[in-house]
Amino acid sequence: MGVFLALLSYLLGALPLGQWLFKARGLDARSASVYALGLEAAWKKVGCWLLAAFVLDFLKGFGPVFLGRGFGAEALWFGLFAYLGHLYPLPFFREPWPLRGKGFAVLLGVLFALPIPYVHGALPLVASLAALALTGSYALAALALPLSLALLLTLGPYPPGAAWAGWGLFLLALWRFKENLGRLLEGTEPRLGDPLPLPSERQVVCAFLIHPLTVEDFWQSPRFRPFKPLVDRGLLKLSWIEGLAERFRPMKVGEVRGVRTLDGREVLCHLLSAPLLPHQIVGKPHLALQRAIQGARLAQELGATVVGLGAFWSVVGDKGKAVQEAVPGIEVTNGGAYTAGTVKAAIPSILAHFAASGRPLKEATAAVVGANGVVAFGIARQIAPLVGRLILVGRNLERLSRAAESLRKNLERKGQPPELLVTTEIAAIREADLVFTATSDPNPVIYPEHVKPGAWIYDEGVPPDVHPSVREVPGVRVIPGGVVRLPGEARSTLDLHFGGPDQVPACLAETMILAAEGAFDRKSLGGEVKAENIQFFVERAEALGFKVVE
């Protein structure tokens, strides 16, 4: 009988009743998570249907324990199986409805059906309410219930089996709420009474997917920081950390706050991360695409209207196309248009400063590294009429030669015949006075031996294409590219490595501008970047107060 009830409890818990209800009402359960948005925001989005879904989940916990009440306090085992079914259902129940709530209503149903004295049953409920009142955290309030129940069953006059079931219930809940606990450590978990993290007339909400550039970036997050001493002492190998990172789903790790556009709107940007290093994203494209899709879904749960793909995420899934196809409920951008726009805006200033240093542009040799790419070749088109000689460096010589020939003919028609050199050898830039680089290589491509003393280098690569040692070459000036200063009193809770808390990559700025303007037809997907979209972002960025850092 007990085995049959345990199986039945699991199956009842696995039923996606809340999902069925939301689907019947034409609502999206993913966009109404109390633990992602907070109770007030979730209620605002779906109203009384949130309460109806709560009641259905409550019954999933109440029913199995009520049916097994003949087992006394050990009927809690049936509640444990029901909760297990809710969190980890069989594929038949899971695949059509992949999103599952964290199950506080199920836990509450288990408590109310448990055959213990009312006074004892009230204690976990009081503990949960006290946790909510003291901390404002829905996650801590939810965890307080199974924790206090487990302590009660351990210390009270109950059989050991009931206590074991209580601790099992708590450990399941603790594992399910691990993401919320991480956000609590980072200070980004919504609390009771916080401003609603939802788009409105005065607030824009977007998300941006990032990744660590090096292992050191792992330690920025308080949830991973305790592992640093173990790595430093050699107790944990870096290869183990990388292997573990491949098993993490995307998580919220920070926020960009305090952004206020010139028209008075606030911009909230959730920083999301699936902690894969650059070589893992490049070397495991299937895993990278899976994580990018999961990141877009998380952004949707958090109430964002747009999610941007930062750094190496921007080249995943045909530069975002596959991510957009998999998650049509949120707009996806790789940020290429405004990135190109910031380059276009910064180059005239760079060239003017270079000329002002006493070196005429028409006598200078310039090089463009990564010229097979859209951004880099755009730089080549912009500077070709202004310099005496231009070296184009790329990986695909045949394709680059065709593009260079087209550029040559276009300039000859304008009476500006240039001297062009096309090559795959990075050593060729040793002749250049000006170097512009924008590759997607996970490692530096320019080292001291490639650079002549006194050269100016504009580095658009993310991560940087220029090795730090290049700065030691006499007279060399390295200028970071694609950096934007945010309007208002902006600050990032993480160091994004762009020179200050209010400075971000242009692709993140494009994400914010898209969300603010609602011009989703301008988003950047795939390798094509339209000239009119570049101009749109340059104009709207200026109107909203975004400034290119030169």
Side-chain angles (χ1 to χ4, degrees):
M1 181 64 177
V3 174
F4 172 77
L5 273 178
L7 179 60
L8 180 62
S9 300
Y10 176 85
L11 293 175
L12 287 174
L15 292 175
L17 300 180
Q19 295 280 353
W20 287 341
L21 173 67
F22 275 57
K23 186 176 181 180
R25 303 305 306 176
L27 299 171
D28 181 11
R30 188 177 294 278
S31 66
S33 169
V34 172
Y35 306 103
L37 300 177
L39 178 60
E40 302 100 315
W43 182 272
K44 183 177 180 180
K45 296 202 77 168
V46 297
C48 62
W49 298 110
L50 184 66
L51 178 60
F54 183 90
V55 170
L56 290 175
D57 279 352
F58 175 91
L59 293 175
K60 290 202 305 185
F62 184 92
V65 178
F66 183 80
L67 291 174
R69 63 191 181 278
F71 289 85
E74 291 188 324
L76 185 59
W77 282 103
F78 305 122
L80 175 65
F81 279 102
Y83 190 50
L84 183 65
H86 175 81
L87 299 182
Y88 302 103
L90 294 171
F92 175 79
F93 293 117
R94 182 174 66 243
E95 291 175 358
W97 300 279
L99 178 70
R100 284 299 176 114
K102 300 182 189 294
F104 176 69
V106 178
L107 295 173
L108 201 61
V110 169
L111 175 65
F112 271 68
L114 198 62
I116 59 177
Y118 292 133
V119 173
H120 287 188
L123 292 176
L125 189 59
V126 170
S128 181
L129 292 173
L132 181 61
L134 292 172
T135 68
S137 167
Y138 307 101
L140 291 181
L143 286 172
L145 190 143
L147 175 60
S148 54
L149 178 60
L151 288 171
L152 172 70
L153 296 173
T154 301
L155 302 175
Y158 299 102
W164 282 111
W167 286 110
L169 203 64
F170 170 68
L171 291 175
L172 273 178
L174 186 66
W175 177 254
R176 189 65 180 87
F177 280 88
K178 62 184 182 300
E179 169 63 14
N180 300 85
L181 296 176
R183 294 181 196 172
L184 280 170
L185 290 172
E186 289 156 355
T188 61
E189 175 75 357
R191 295 175 184 264
L192 185 66
D194 283 352
L196 302 186
L198 295 177
S200 66
E201 290 184 2
R202 308 310 303 169
Q203 180 171 257
V204 174
V205 182
C206 60
F208 193 66
L209 189 60
I210 61 177
H211 61 79
L213 297 178
T214 67
V215 173
E216 288 300 312
D217 283 335
F218 280 110
W219 319 135
Q220 286 201 57
S221 172
R223 68 179 87 188
F224 298 127
R225 202 170 294 151
F227 295 102
K228 186 178 187 303
L230 300 179
V231 173
D232 292 342
R233 294 170 185 170
L235 299 177
L236 276 180
K237 295 181 180 179
L238 291 180
S239 59
W240 297 352
I241 296 292
E242 291 184 13
L244 184 63
E246 292 181 4
R247 288 160 176 77
F248 278 107
R249 295 170 64 92
M251 61 195 79
K252 179 178 174 180
V253 294
E255 292 176 346
V256 180
R257 304 167 176 166
V259 182
R260 181 182 288 272
T261 61
L262 293 183
D263 58 11
R265 285 179 292 172
E266 299 281 345
V267 180
L268 170 63
C269 182
H270 303 290
L271 298 177
L272 314 179
S273 177
L276 298 178
L277 293 165
H279 69 271
Q280 293 174 294
I281 295 175
V282 173
K284 299 186 177 182
H286 179 74
L287 174 64
L289 177 58
Q290 182 184 27
R291 293 294 182 258
I293 290 171
Q294 291 167 344
R297 287 175 177 154
L298 175 58
Q300 186 180 358
E301 291 176 28
L302 291 168
T305 57
V306 183
V307 59
L309 304 178
F312 282 85
W313 294 119
S314 64
V315 299
V316 168
D318 192 14
K319 297 189 175 181
K321 281 186 175 181
V323 181
Q324 183 67 89
E325 291 170 2
V327 194
I330 188 171
E331 304 296 336
V332 179
T333 182
N334 62 36
Y338 189 43
T339 299
T342 59
V343 173
K344 185 176 181 180
I347 284 178
S349 175
I350 293 170
L351 295 180
H353 281 86
F354 182 84
S357 69
R359 290 179 280 185
L361 286 172
K362 278 299 183 180
E363 298 177 9
T365 296
V368 177
V369 180
N372 282 122
V374 173
V375 172
F377 197 75
I379 296 173
R381 282 198 299 264
Q382 190 173 354
I383 67 173
L386 306 174
V387 299
R389 184 166 179 254
L390 181 60
I391 302 169
L392 301 180
V393 182
R395 290 182 175 176
N396 189 319
L397 185 61
E398 181 181 353
R399 186 158 59 89
L400 185 57
S401 296
R402 289 197 301 268
E405 185 60 27
S406 174
L407 176 61
R408 187 195 312 274
K409 290 179 179 178
N410 183 49
L411 292 173
E412 286 176 347
R413 283 195 296 268
K414 297 177 180 179
Q416 302 167 323
E419 182 183 348
L420 288 179
L421 172 65
V422 178
T423 180
T424 59
E425 298 297 326
I426 190 68
I429 71 172
R430 175 76 182 178
E431 304 174 24
D433 306 292
L434 277 166
V435 178
F436 299 86
T437 178
T439 80
S440 58
D441 199 297
N443 301 304
V445 296
I446 299 176
Y447 288 85
E449 60 268 24
H450 302 138
V451 180
K452 69 185 294 186
W456 286 28
I457 308 174
Y458 183 74
D459 189 355
E460 181 69 22
V462 178
D465 289 332
V466 179
H467 193 272
S469 60
V470 171
R471 296 178 184 272
E472 299 173 8
V473 178
V476 164
R477 182 176 179 183
V478 179
I479 306 164
V483 181
V484 176
R485 181 171 288 111
L486 300 173
E489 299 180 358
R491 65 196 185 282
S492 170
T493 60
L494 295 176
D495 180 5
L496 299 177
H497 305 299
F498 285 89
D502 63 343
Q503 295 181 185
V504 300
C507 46
L508 195 163
E510 176 176 318
T511 304
M512 293 182 173
I513 295 167
L514 264 182
E517 295 295 293
F520 301 135
D521 58 322
R522 302 283 189 178
K523 64 190 177 185
S524 303
L525 284 178
E528 181 183 0
V529 179
K530 297 180 180 179
E532 58 265 31
N533 288 350
I534 295 174
Q535 189 60 32
F536 169 82
F537 283 107
V538 170
E539 292 175 356
R540 295 316 302 158
E542 184 176 356
L544 294 171
F546 293 80
K547 301 294 183 183
V548 177
V549 177
E550 299 178 356

